[in-house]
C-alpha cells in the first residue's frame, strides 16, 4: 500500500505550489469581483454588468478570439507539414536548434525588428515604394502605415507564428519519431500512398501530440501582448487591441474591480475552451 500511494508525495509539492500561488490568489480575485475597489462594498454582479457593457472589453475579447481562431489552425498545420518534410531528412538535431532560435530571442529585440520593417517609414515600406511604385520613396511617398491599419492584425499574427513555429515543429517531430516504422512500411508494401498513410496511420497516432500542441498554442496565443505593446504601445490600432491591453490600461487607472470581474470571465472562458478540447479529443 505504501508503494501504491508513493505518487502522492511526488505530486504534493507541485500541488502545494499551485494551491498557494495560483488557486488561492484566484479565489481572492473571485471575491474581489463582487466588491468595489476602494470601499470594498459588496455590489453583487454589478462589476460583471459593467464590463459586459464596456465597448473596450467587447473589442478586446473579439480581437483575442479572432487572433486565436486565425493563428492556431495555421500554426498547427504549418508545423505538421514542415515536421513531416523534416522527418525524412538527416541532421534533425541541428534543424531543431535552428527552429528553436526565435524562442531564444528577447521579445524587445523581436519587436524592434518588426517595427523597423513595418512602421510608416520602415525598410519594408521603403523598398515596397521603390520596387512596386517605381521611383524614389521621397517622390512617390510611402505605402500605408501597416501598424496603423487593419494590416496590423496580420503583422501580429505573423510574429506569433514565426516565434512559435519552431517548438511546434519539434513537438510534431517527437510524435512522428515515436510512431512504429514497421506499421508504415507494411502500409506502403500494401500499396498505401503518402496521403493514405497520413490519414489512416500518422494522424491517428499523433492524436495525443496534437492535443498537447493545440493546448500550448492556445495558451501562448494569449501571451502576444508584449510584442503588440512594444510595437504599437498601450493604445494600438483597434484590430490588435487585445485583452492584455485592456487589463494594462485598467491597472494604470486602478480599476481593480473591473479587472477582477474580467479576469473571472476570461478564466471561465479559457477553462471551458480547454475542457471542450479535451472532450472533443476523447470523443474522436
Amino acid at each position: 500500500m505504501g508503494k501504491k500511494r508513493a505518487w502522492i508525495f511526488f505530486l504534493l509539492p507541485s500541488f502545494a505550489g499551485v494551491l498557494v500561488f495560483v488557486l488561492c490568489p484566484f479565489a481572492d480575485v473571485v471575491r474581489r469581483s463582487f466588491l468595489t475597489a476602494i470601499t470594498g462594498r459588496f455590489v453583487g454582479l454589478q462589476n460583471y454588468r459593467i464590463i459586459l457593457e464596456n465597448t473596450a472589453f467587447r473589442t478586446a475579447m473579439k480581437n483575442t478570439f479572432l487572433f486565436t481562431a486565425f493563428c492556431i489552425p495555421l500554426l498547427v498545420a504549418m508545423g505538421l507539414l514542415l515536421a513531416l518534410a523534416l522527418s525524412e531528412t538527416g541532421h534533425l538535431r541541428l534543424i531543431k536548434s535552428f527552429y528553436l532560435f526565435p524562442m531564444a530571442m528577447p521579445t524587445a529585440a523581436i519587436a524592434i525588428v518588426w517595427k523597423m520593417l513595418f512602421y510608416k517609414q520602415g525598410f519594408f515600406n521603403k523598398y515596397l515604394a521603390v520596387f512596386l511604385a517605381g521611383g524614389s520613396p521621397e517622390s512617390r511617398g510611402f505605402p500605408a502605415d501597416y501598424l496603423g491599419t487593419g494590416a496590423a492584425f496580420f503583422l501580429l499574427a505573423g510574429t506569433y507564428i514565426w516565434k512559435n513555429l519552431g517548438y511546434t515543429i519539434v513537438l510534431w517531430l517527437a510524435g512522428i519519431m515515436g510512431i512504429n516504422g514497421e506499421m508504415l512500411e507494411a502500409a506502403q508494401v500494401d500499396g498505401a500512398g503518402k496521403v493514405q498513410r497520413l490519414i489512416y496511420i500518422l494522424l491517428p497516432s499523433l492524436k495525443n501530440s496534437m492535443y498537447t500542441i493545440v493546448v500550448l498554442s492556445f495558451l501562448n496565443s494569449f501571451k502576444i501582448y508584449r510584442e503588440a505593446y512594444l510595437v504599437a504601445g498601450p493604445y494600438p490600432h483597434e484590430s490588435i487591441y487585445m485583452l492584455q491591453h485592456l487589463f494594462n490600461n485598467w491597472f494604470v487607472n486602478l480599476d481593480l474591480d473591473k479587472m477582477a470581474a474580467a479576469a473571472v470571465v476570461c478564466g471561465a472562458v479559457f477553462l471551458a475552451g480547454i475542457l471542450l478540447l479535451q472532450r472533443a479529443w476523447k470523443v474522436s
Side-chain angles (χ1 to χ4, degrees), residues 245-262:
H245 290 96
L246 182 68
F247 278 98
N248 176 75
N249 296 333
W250 278 350
F251 179 78
V252 171
N253 296 327
L254 297 179
D255 293 326
L256 303 182
D257 45 2
K258 291 194 291 186
M259 284 183 64

Side-chain angles (χ1 to χ4, degrees), residues 30-44:
V30 175
R31 181 184 67 86
R32 291 176 182 273
S33 68
F34 299 102
L35 308 174
T36 59
I38 299 176
T39 62
R41 181 172 56 88
F42 180 78
V43 292

Side-chain angles (χ1 to χ4, degrees), residues 76-145:
V76 172
M78 289 178 62
L80 176 59
L81 293 176
L82 289 172
L84 289 172
L86 293 174
S87 64
E88 299 178 357
T89 65
H91 309 289
L92 281 181
R93 182 173 299 180
L94 178 62
I95 293 173
K96 288 179 182 179
S97 302
F98 175 77
Y99 274 102
L100 289 175
F101 176 73
M103 297 190 68
M105 293 185 64
T107 303
I110 296 173
I112 291 174
V113 170
W114 285 93
K115 190 172 183 179
M116 290 173 62
L117 288 173
F118 290 99
Y119 83 115
K120 189 172 183 179
Q121 294 183 338
F123 296 134
F124 181 82
N125 283 347
K126 176 181 178 180
Y127 290 110
L128 191 65
V130 172
F131 292 109
L132 297 184
S136 65
E138 291 76 11
S139 61
R140 294 286 183 172
F142 292 96
D145 181 9

